[in-house]
Amino acid sequence: MNTLLPAFDDPTDKLALRFPDGELTYAELAAVASDLATRLAGHGRVAVWATSTLGAAVGITAGLLAGVPVVPVNPKVGERELAHVVSDSAPELIMAVPDVTLPEALAGLPRVDVVTDPAGVTPAELPAEPGPEAPALVVYTSGTTGPPKGAVLSRGAIAANLDGLAEAWAWTGDDVLTHALPIFHVHGLVLGTVGPLRRGGSLHHLGAIDGKALAAAVDGGATLVFGVPTHYHRLAADLEADAALAASVGRARLLVSGSAALTAVDHSRIEKATGLGVRERYGLTETLIVTAARADEPAEVGAVGRPVPGTEVRLAPLPDAEGDDEGLGSVEVRGPSLFSGYLNLPEASVASQTADGWFATGDIARWTPSGALAIVGRKATDLIKSGGYKIGAGEIENALLEHPDVAETAVIGVPDDDLGERIVAFVVPVGDAPEPKVLIDHVASLIAPHKRPREIRYVESLPRNAMGKVQKKLLP
Ligand code: MLC
Ligand code: AMP
């Protein structure tokens, strides 16, 4: 039996994956993915060009069935970041759909075309499944400094987390999940793609967030909706403008938000439009999902639910806790869903743990009277969450400093109704200030478009303390 994806032992004609470019039943997916898996077996790590397409999802499924760790690559990633991901993860091949042109940095890798047409493909025998400690995925995530780190997620961690969430959300093989999340990060990949496949249910990927498409998906049988707060913010506007769409979405069983904080305003807009209270869940790439609001309890605005079954959460006292901060602590996590470490970074892996072996998230929270966790902030000012993406200020500053017109820069996140935080770069130009778009495009092409500043503010100097360190708190 495949312990990670048991539905592939005896695949049925039930729908497994539907993307804007095509769909496959379990029997069809088992055929194309097992055929591909035979070509992956025995490799160290394999990469997938992770567009929001059926082909990318087939590639990921094939890697998991082959027991070979998969590195999902953000297809929008810029040249500098891509070069880092490729050299750090050293994939032995790249899977992509046949008609796509891959960037230069991937040209040296053997390319394996992902076939999504099951016609004429016979299911192949799968290689022996590795144990639960074997790596399943390497997902790149930003830190405060340096390039993104590859978090290694084991098969057992993924299985344990998805089973805990299944308990919290009564998530079964009868559920049809719908979302518009990218499938190269934990949210859209582990929860949003491996999740339904582990349950033996269906995924209906929307491609992009849009109220009409979501309403149609729910009308077509979707029961469960996942999204980042920016998705719900945009959805709220669509649903307020069209009562029929709102009524359709309201027929879903459960709306779930995560990856960043959902504002109370958007929570109530969605509830008013659909009659459904959005359940929040909280997690990190390194820990997978830590807490989740349960389906059988009412949604609690501003709280992210209870620990996922199997996961332990504690709040460590803050060093400078004051009277006002009573009850606040930094979130630490222990349990079977934790990552196995950062690829090639043993010191950073050790540094992420407390002396007694808990993972220190860097988030600050308190318990609510009902026993749920409420996230109130994070320790690092140099981490920005924009649109649900975690972005290190240092990555952007380094990219900007590579531009000849930039003498000094400091990057911060400022509150934004749509993105949660908006990236703003304060720049001291070398001479005449270039058009902001020049610097914005420079960052987008070097690292990734979602890491580009939305705004450049030119200043004559940056506020610094006596040691010469930039005082970001003094930036407007
Ligand atoms: C814009 N674009 C550019 C550009 N400006 N491309 C190149 N150069 C430029 N200068 C492109 C973008 O790539 C994008 O393409 C399109 O134009 C619109 O850009 P955008 O405005 O930046 O996108 P936006 O609509 O703001 O994105 C919002 C969003 C996105 C919500 C869709 O932020 C998103 O997908 N967020 C999900 C993040 C996520 O999954 N996080 C989970 C992390 S795991 P295109 O084609 O992309 O539209 C985690 C753990 C947990 O956190 O708990 O879950
Ligand atoms: P990532 O590294 O992309 O996995 O992002 C993890 C971070 O996202 C966490 O440390 C939190 O700061 C944030 N996060 C995830 N879910 C939530 C949530 N529901 N509410 C607030 N913050 C969240």
Side-chain angles (χ1 to χ4, degrees), residues 141-142 185-186 257-262 280-286 304 361-363 375 377-378 385 388-390:
T141 181
S142 293
H185 273 314
V186 155
S257 172
S259 303
L262 183 70
E280 281 200 78
R281 95 293 175 291
Y282 154 76
L284 286 83
T285 303
E286 294 89 335
V304 293
T361 64
D363 292 307
I375 307 291
R378 65 177 163 258
K385 263 265 156 169
Y389 285 114
K390 180 150 91 180

Side-chain angles (χ1 to χ4, degrees), residues 161-172 199 294-296 307-310:
N161 202 239
L162 291 173
D163 292 353
L165 289 173
E167 217 274 296
W169 295 335
W171 186 2
T172 72
R199 297 273 75 81
R294 294 179 61 89
D296 59 6
V308 169

Side-chain angles (χ1 to χ4, degrees), residues 113-314:
D113 284 340
V114 177
V115 172
T116 55
D117 182 358
V121 180
T122 29
E125 195 170 329
L126 292 174
E129 188 184 9
E133 67 297 335
L137 300 168
V138 180
V139 179
Y140 278 81
T141 181
S142 293
T144 44
T145 54
K149 302 180 285 239
V152 180
L153 302 171
S154 71
R155 300 173 75 85
I158 292 170
N161 202 239
L162 291 173
D163 292 353
L165 289 173
E167 217 274 296
W169 295 335
W171 186 2
T172 72
D174 291 333
D175 278 304
V176 177
L177 168 66
T178 187
H179 65 77
L181 294 156
I183 62 171
F184 48 81
H185 273 314
V186 155
H187 196 166
L189 174 60
V190 175
L191 274 65
T193 303
V194 189
L197 295 178
R198 177 161 174 81
R199 297 273 75 81
S202 310
L203 164 63
H204 182 165
H205 197 292
L206 298 173
I209 194 67
D210 166 56
K212 258 196 197 126
L214 178 64
V218 177
D219 285 341
T223 54
L224 202 51
V225 180
F226 289 174
V228 292
T230 304
H231 287 156
Y232 285 105
H233 179 78
R234 295 179 184 182
L235 216 48
D238 289 355
L239 302 185
E240 283 167 352
D242 188 333
L245 291 189
S248 290
V249 173
R251 285 190 277 274
R253 185 172 74 74
L254 200 63
L255 309 182
V256 182
S257 172
S259 303
L262 183 70
T263 64
V265 171
D266 286 335
H267 192 286
S268 83
R269 289 173 75 195
I270 296 281
E271 184 160 26
K272 205 165 158 213
T274 64
L276 294 172
V278 181
R279 302 307 195 287
E280 281 200 78
R281 95 293 175 291
Y282 154 76
L284 286 83
T285 303
E286 294 89 335
T287 58
L288 299 181
I289 304 312
V290 173
T291 62
R294 294 179 61 89
D296 59 6
E297 292 177 356
E300 187 178 340
V301 179
V304 293
R306 303 173 192 284
V308 169
T311 295
E312 292 174 87
V313 181
R314 71 179 184 191

